[in-house]
């Protein structure tokens, strides 16, 4: 009897490893990304303030929209008297990449209800996606509590950065002069390096990264604008799957 219990308790394969990390671990894992949120969030607050939005309007935009590129676009189009319809459609197409991010993360939360998955997906960002994908290496499932810790920490930090930018932006009209614009790409470079270090087939992933960069350049030259990222992601991911099966 005891032997049967022991066998039953063992995972059937290495892929069955589950993540049981706590909410606080998710908070800790979010810390390396905070500088990126602070810099871009602060800049977004400055732009929204210069576009004529009040502190209350900036707060609502940050809490409800919660997307750096979308908030920059909304502030710019509001400043140029763009229509509500034009703003909504522009933001929709610019942020279509979130469909790809959610699709990539969703397999690790199949054990949750659709409502819980929607809650996780609604707070997913480029940065939290990068951290989650690094965490997912070697795991079949990710901890719901850990993901909430990661997402909520990022969400509150973004809101605080927006408010700080809106309030202090009157004295800082050009955040790039302080080098804040470099914080976001530097953070993503760090996340990519962490993922590559923990992968077994590094050559494959480096090739996929190169393909993505080339696709972005070609798509940008073809004047696809923000769609360049989506096109590059789809092509690079497809090529990665093909190369992995043919190796």
């Amino acid at each position: 009897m005891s032997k049967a219990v022991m066998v039953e308790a063992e995972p059937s394969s290495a892929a069955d490893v589950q993540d049981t990390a706590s909410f606080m671990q998710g908070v800790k894992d979010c810390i390396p990304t905070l500088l990126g949120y602070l810099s871009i969030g602060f800049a977004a607050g400055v732009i929204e303030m210069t576009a004529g939005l009040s502190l209350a309007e900036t707060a609502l935009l940050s809490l409800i929209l919660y997307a750096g590129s979308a908030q920059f676009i909304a502030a710019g189009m509001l400043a140029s008297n763009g229509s509500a319809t034009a703003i909504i459609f522009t933001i929709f197409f610019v942020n279509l990449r979130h469909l790809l991010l959610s699709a990539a993360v969703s397999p690790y939360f199949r054990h949750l209800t659709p409502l819980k998955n929607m809650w996780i997906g609604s707070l997913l960002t480029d940065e939290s996606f990068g951290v989650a994908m690094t965490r997912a290496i070697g795991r079949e499932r990710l901890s719901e509590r850990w993901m909430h810790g990661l997402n909520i920490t990022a969400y509150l930090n973004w809101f605080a950065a927006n408010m700080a930018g809106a309030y202090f932006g009157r004295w800082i009209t050009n955040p790039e002069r302080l080098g804040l614009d470099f914080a976001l790409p530097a953070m993503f470079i760090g996340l990519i390096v962490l993922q590559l270090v923990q992968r077994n087939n590094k050559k494959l992933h480096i090739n996929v990264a190169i393909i993505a960069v080339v696709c972005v350049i070609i798509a940008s030259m073809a004047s696809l604008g923000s769609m360049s990222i989506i096109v590059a992601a789809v092509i690079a991911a497809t090529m990665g799957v093909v190369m992995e099966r043919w190796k």
Side-chain angles (χ1 to χ4, degrees), residues 111-125:
H111 56 291
L112 301 180
T113 64
L115 187 61
K116 289 183 177 180
N117 272 279
M118 288 175 62
W119 169 239
I120 290 175
S122 66
L123 294 182
L124 190 67
T125 65

Side-chain angles (χ1 to χ4, degrees), residues 1-6:
M1 183 70 176
S2 59
K3 183 178 179 181
V5 172
M6 287 178 64

Side-chain angles (χ1 to χ4, degrees), residues 63-200:
L63 292 173
I64 297 174
L65 187 53
Y66 185 43
S69 57
Q71 289 178 224
F72 279 111
I73 291 170
M77 295 185 72
L78 285 172
S80 59
N81 297 318
S83 66
T85 302
I87 294 173
I88 290 172
F89 275 99
T90 302
I91 290 174
F92 173 77
F93 285 109
V94 166
N95 286 280
L96 273 176
R97 70 184 186 281
H98 287 284
L99 293 176
L100 297 175
L101 303 184
S102 300
V105 170
S106 61
Y108 299 99
F109 296 101
R110 288 174 179 165
H111 56 291
L112 301 180
T113 64
L115 187 61
K116 289 183 177 180
N117 272 279
M118 288 175 62
W119 169 239
I120 290 175
S122 66
L123 294 182
L124 190 67
T125 65
D126 298 312
E127 295 85 354
S128 60
F129 170 79
V131 175
M133 287 295 95
T134 301
R135 182 82 184 180
I137 296 174
R139 293 179 170 85
E140 185 183 49
R141 297 181 180 181
L142 287 176
S143 167
E144 178 187 3
R145 292 173 297 173
W146 176 85
M147 196 66 196
H148 286 325
L150 175 68
N151 278 343
I152 293 175
T153 302
Y155 184 61
L156 295 178
N157 184 70
W158 176 259
F159 173 72
N162 270 235
M163 291 294 95
Y167 183 77
F168 295 107
R170 66 195 75 178
W171 297 293
I172 304 177
T173 56
N174 188 8
E176 293 184 3
R177 294 182 61 184
L178 301 177
L180 295 179
D181 56 320
F182 182 69
L184 192 64
M187 180 195 64
F188 277 115
I189 290 172
L191 290 174
I192 291 173
V193 170
L194 285 175
Q195 289 198 42
L196 286 176
V197 168
Q198 298 181 53
R199 297 283 183 175
N200 293 326

Side-chain angles (χ1 to χ4, degrees), residues 193-209 247:
V193 170
L194 285 175
Q195 289 198 42
L196 286 176
V197 168
Q198 298 181 53
R199 297 283 183 175
N200 293 326
N201 192 347
K202 295 181 179 62
K203 183 178 179 180
L204 172 63
H205 293 88
I206 291 174
N207 287 335
V208 171
K247 68 177 181 177

